[in-house]
Amino acid sequence: VGPPNREVARIHGVILRSPTMSSALPSSPTTANSAAVARARDNRSQRQSGNFDKDLPDQAEMAPMVTDPEKGSLTAATPPATPNSRSAPKKPSCVVRLLGSPPLKFYDNFLCLAIGGQLGVLIREYLTSAAKGTFTAPLFSALASNIVGCYWMGLVGDGKAAAAQMRRGEPDAAGVLLKEVGEVKKEPFPLFPGLVVGGGTGSALLGMRTGLCGALTTFSSWNQSMVQFVVVDKNGWNAVVGYVVGLFVALFCLILGQLTALWVQQRNGTCGTKALQRVISFCDNHVWLTRFSVSLIFLGALAVEAAFAATIDKPTTEDRDLMFALFFAPIGVGMRWQLGRFNARCPSFPIGTFAANMVGAAVIGVIYGVRDDPHQDSYWVDLQIGSLALGLCGALTTVSTFVSEVNDRLRPIAVKSAPSPKCTLAGFTYGFCTLAAGLVVGLATYGWSTWSYDDEPHEARHESTRGETTPIRIGAKNTISDDA
């Protein structure tokens, strides 16, 4: 069947419908199959030479033809099932769809996230305690942990984040910059150039970035401080300045961390990479031993925390709330990790991170609203409220991931139909909506505590989670939001 018969011989798994053509072709199935294969071979040779009939498939695409005795025409024969024949992709099981990954991979990820989340909460608590009295209005005590966490987030980021900071002064006519950018983008961990990751290394990096950095920074405490500026101090300008300073300082520290990682990558130091590569190779060769050892470390940490929480005297709450908070940290990190799966549904506005920050801001507002009740004097209620704010809300919300997403969306994006990259308002919109929505949620969940207790003196003495009696005004040395 050549080009002259194109209008009557469209062979693509359908019946040849031309009566004249079906009568002209041989009726024997064997002869028909041989003729079909010959036509396909001829078409393939023409395709290789550049002179081919585009309407006809090659031999790999065309099924053998047999004569249909009822219709008197050729039809495509169903090929016999072979072991090498392609089959439809197998749908993932309900468990995989629910967890987002196979069970063992989910366990490895959650284990690394839980350990990283506990370390993040522990470091954040001591940084916040050290910064008490250092930052005054419109700043907030959680600014210290946000600075460290955002810098660390940029430092341990992937190659794509580091490559975005590459610049060249002279024109790149030879494409040198593009080549260097491509090499940096391939780096999974620019801080260790040339590192080959695999197996459980992805889980470890997830625990370091999402777990440690996410729990080290906290959106809930930052937002709660701004809400208290409005509700308690009746000073909205302090809240505006606090939001702006907190966002820009976090962005600056993130970019500084990315530049540091890029500087290390450009030096091509391999000493640390070789040592880390040997550790990774050992873990990849002993997967179950590594999984069992890390699980024992996590369980041992939980046992130590439970022992400290049980042996600390009741009047001394300096460390007891921290021990309880470490139990809540894996829950908060796990919730934020699962909510992050929804970010891909709206690339311009990460709804997963946004939802995690809003839920955390609402929970901490309700927690401190209950805690401000002058008639509430239960020791255990105060203890658990402080632990939830420090562990659950602090690990559920994040500033490092938030500013990283804002920074990514502030850059120009390449559009196929556009001759040059375009600047969009996605980063500005995402950042502004998050801060504005956080303030609204905080006012709705915490404001009722002031409006309900208007008959009580707002400077009433209140026992904090640190065992001190302090006023709940933001400008004081010890504030409610310091505990978060």
Side-chain angles (χ1 to χ4, degrees), residues 21-94:
M21 189 65 188
S22 59
S23 60
L25 290 175
S27 58
S28 171
T30 304
T31 306
N33 290 344
S34 302
V37 172
R39 289 193 299 270
R41 187 182 298 109
D42 180 65
N43 186 45
R44 186 177 61 180
S45 61
Q46 293 179 6
R47 188 187 300 272
Q48 295 175 353
S49 62
N51 181 23
F52 64 94
D53 186 2
K54 297 181 180 180
D55 287 350
L56 293 179
D58 57 11
Q59 183 179 359
E61 298 175 349
M62 186 171 61
M65 309 300 294
V66 297
T67 304
D68 187 350
E70 297 182 357
K71 299 182 179 180
S73 58
L74 289 179
T75 59
T78 303
T82 60
N84 296 329
S85 60
R86 294 183 179 179
S87 58
K90 185 180 180 180
K91 293 184 179 180
S93 63
C94 297

Side-chain angles (χ1 to χ4, degrees), residues 216-237:
L216 180 55
T217 60
T218 170
F219 180 84
S220 59
S221 177
W222 174 25
N223 187 75
Q224 183 64 21
S225 298
M226 303 303 104
V227 171
Q228 287 180 323
F229 280 139
V230 177
V231 174
V232 179
D233 289 350
K234 308 292 193 250
N235 192 335
W237 284 112

Side-chain angles (χ1 to χ4, degrees), residues 156-235:
V156 300
D158 57 6
K160 293 181 180 179
Q165 305 300 333
M166 297 190 68
R167 299 289 186 272
R168 181 176 290 273
E170 63 272 13
D172 190 38
V176 177
L177 177 61
L178 291 177
K179 183 179 179 180
E180 293 180 357
V181 169
E183 293 178 355
V184 175
K185 282 185 177 181
K186 296 177 182 178
E187 294 285 351
F189 200 9
L191 202 60
F192 294 91
L195 185 68
V196 179
V197 301
T201 313
S203 300
L205 292 176
L206 178 67
M208 187 183 303
R209 295 164 181 167
T210 304
L212 176 59
C213 297
L216 180 55
T217 60
T218 170
F219 180 84
S220 59
S221 177
W222 174 25
N223 187 75
Q224 183 64 21
S225 298
M226 303 303 104
V227 171
Q228 287 180 323
F229 280 139
V230 177
V231 174
V232 179
D233 289 350
K234 308 292 193 250
N235 192 335

